[in-house]
Amino acid sequence: MNDAEKQIVIVKLNKLDGILEERISIVNVEIENQEKLISENINQLVEVTDKIVLNEEELKELKKRNQDLQAQLQGFESQIQDYISEIGKSKQQISEAHDNINRQKPKDDFWSNLNRGLNPFTGDIPGLFSSNIRELENKIKNLDSEIINKSNNIGNLQIQKGEVELKIREIEIQTNELILKKEKLENNKKELGRTKTFNGDFKLKLENLKYQCKSIIESINIGIDLLDIGISQVFEIEENVKILFSSNGLSLTY
């Protein structure tokens, strides 16, 4: 090999070294960008996960509140049914009292006065029934008032329950969206990790080929003859660079 041919080989080595250096710099930037994206992804994952946990805690409290409201509603509704039943019984008792009054009402004032004369201690039976009727009517009035109060309470509870159930639905929808977002972030994290690992391996192979180029260049610089180094090594390095670039969708151009 004459000097001109040696010079051509040396120029080739220097160009390969420069190409490898440039590609290593590009890959370093890509790795840095991926690390930044991974960091942002992790921060988002933490934020989303924390929000999911908070939502689940809030949902637990809201569902407990909803159950308590339902229990109160059922309690008031049961009381109203009891009041209605009690009113029915009272009305029946009033009807019976009226029937008793009618049965006890004297058919003839004469016989009534006669009976009082013969038995002056006879009680006023119709009056007793009338008094009982008034008590029952007051009882019904009080029960009606209680039904109105309980009905108002039921109305207020139903409004509260509706608000709680609406909030539950809103948080459930939001939580489902967050879960989907978390799954997407986790998939992105895996993909970024794979890409980073791939680029890391690519960088190591580039650095290894660059080291081989540098070693030959340094050997030549200290006076070792290229023939002693082995011209085949140079072509082998070049071929390996071509293969590496090709496997990564790149082409080697000087």
Side-chain angles (χ1 to χ4, degrees):
M1 177 180 289
N2 57 40
D3 291 339
E5 292 173 330
K6 290 179 183 179
Q7 190 60 37
I8 291 173
V9 173
I10 293 172
V11 169
K12 183 186 292 289
L13 279 171
N14 283 316
K15 284 184 178 181
L16 281 173
D17 182 69
I19 290 170
L20 291 168
E21 178 66 31
E22 181 183 7
R23 182 51 54 182
I24 289 171
S25 297
I26 293 172
V27 173
N28 278 335
V29 171
E30 291 177 353
I31 291 173
E32 288 175 4
N33 290 335
Q34 284 151 9
E35 288 175 345
K36 181 180 178 182
L37 290 173
I38 289 172
S39 178
E40 292 174 353
N41 183 280
I42 290 172
N43 290 336
Q44 290 180 42
L45 262 174
V46 171
E47 182 180 344
V48 169
T49 301
D50 288 345
K51 181 60 178 173
I52 290 173
V53 171
L54 290 174
N55 278 7
E56 288 174 345
E57 292 175 353
E58 187 174 1
L59 275 174
K60 184 178 180 181
E61 293 175 0
L62 286 170
K63 288 179 179 179
K64 176 64 170 60
R65 172 63 176 158
N66 196 39
Q67 289 175 351
D68 292 341
L69 290 171
Q70 180 62 31
Q72 291 180 58
L73 278 171
Q74 290 174 343
F76 285 139
E77 289 168 351
S78 176
Q79 287 178 328
I80 288 175
Q81 291 302 316
D82 290 342
Y83 294 155
I84 291 172
S85 176
E86 192 63 29
I87 288 172
K89 292 177 182 178
S90 297
K91 287 182 176 179
Q92 179 64 31
Q93 290 174 349
I94 289 173
S95 177
E96 292 172 357
H98 279 298
D99 290 342
N100 288 329
I101 289 173
N102 291 331
R103 283 196 297 269
Q104 292 296 329
K105 186 177 181 179
K107 296 180 179 179
D108 189 278
D109 290 340
F110 173 79
W111 290 109
S112 177
N113 292 330
L114 179 62
N115 286 334
R116 288 195 190 92
L118 294 173
N119 187 7
F121 299 104
T122 301
D124 185 5
I125 295 176
L128 292 174
F129 283 121
S130 296
S131 176
N132 188 35
I133 288 172
R134 285 193 296 273
E135 289 179 2
L136 289 170
E137 288 175 340
N138 287 331
K139 180 179 180 181
I140 289 172
K141 183 179 179 180
N142 291 332
L143 289 172
D144 282 335
S145 179
E146 283 297 319
I147 288 174
I148 292 172
N149 290 333
K150 299 301 181 186
S151 296
N152 290 335
N153 289 334
I154 286 174
N156 292 331
L157 287 173
Q158 286 174 335
I159 292 173
Q160 295 179 47
K161 192 170 187 296
E163 292 173 348
V164 170
E165 289 174 345
L166 176 61
K167 187 66 175 176
I168 288 173
R169 288 193 294 273
E170 289 175 347
I171 294 178
E172 285 177 338
I173 291 171
Q174 184 189 63
T175 301
N176 289 334
E177 290 174 349
L178 288 169
I179 289 172
L180 292 175
K181 184 176 181 179
K182 181 181 178 182
E183 290 175 355
K184 184 177 179 180
L185 287 169
E186 287 174 340
N187 290 333
N188 288 343
K189 180 183 174 184
K190 292 177 182 177
E191 185 60 32
L192 287 168
R194 284 192 290 266
T195 303
K196 180 187 174 184
T197 299
F198 179 83
N199 283 335
D201 291 341
F202 184 31
K203 178 184 174 181
L204 287 175
K205 292 174 181 177
L206 290 169
E207 288 176 336
N208 181 51
L209 290 169
K210 178 177 170 57
Y211 173 77
Q212 294 177 39
C213 286
K214 277 291 185 184
S215 296
I216 295 175
I217 291 171
E218 289 174 0
S219 296
I220 293 171
N221 289 336
I222 62 174
I224 299 176
D225 193 280
L226 185 57
L227 293 175
D228 295 331
I229 297 171
I231 190 66
S232 61
Q233 289 188 38
V234 177
F235 294 112
E236 184 180 342
I237 292 171
E238 182 182 27
E239 184 61 25
N240 288 336
V241 171
K242 287 180 180 178
I243 293 171
L244 180 60
F245 273 42
S246 178
S247 65
N248 286 272
L250 303 169
S251 58
L252 179 62
T253 56
Y254 293 100

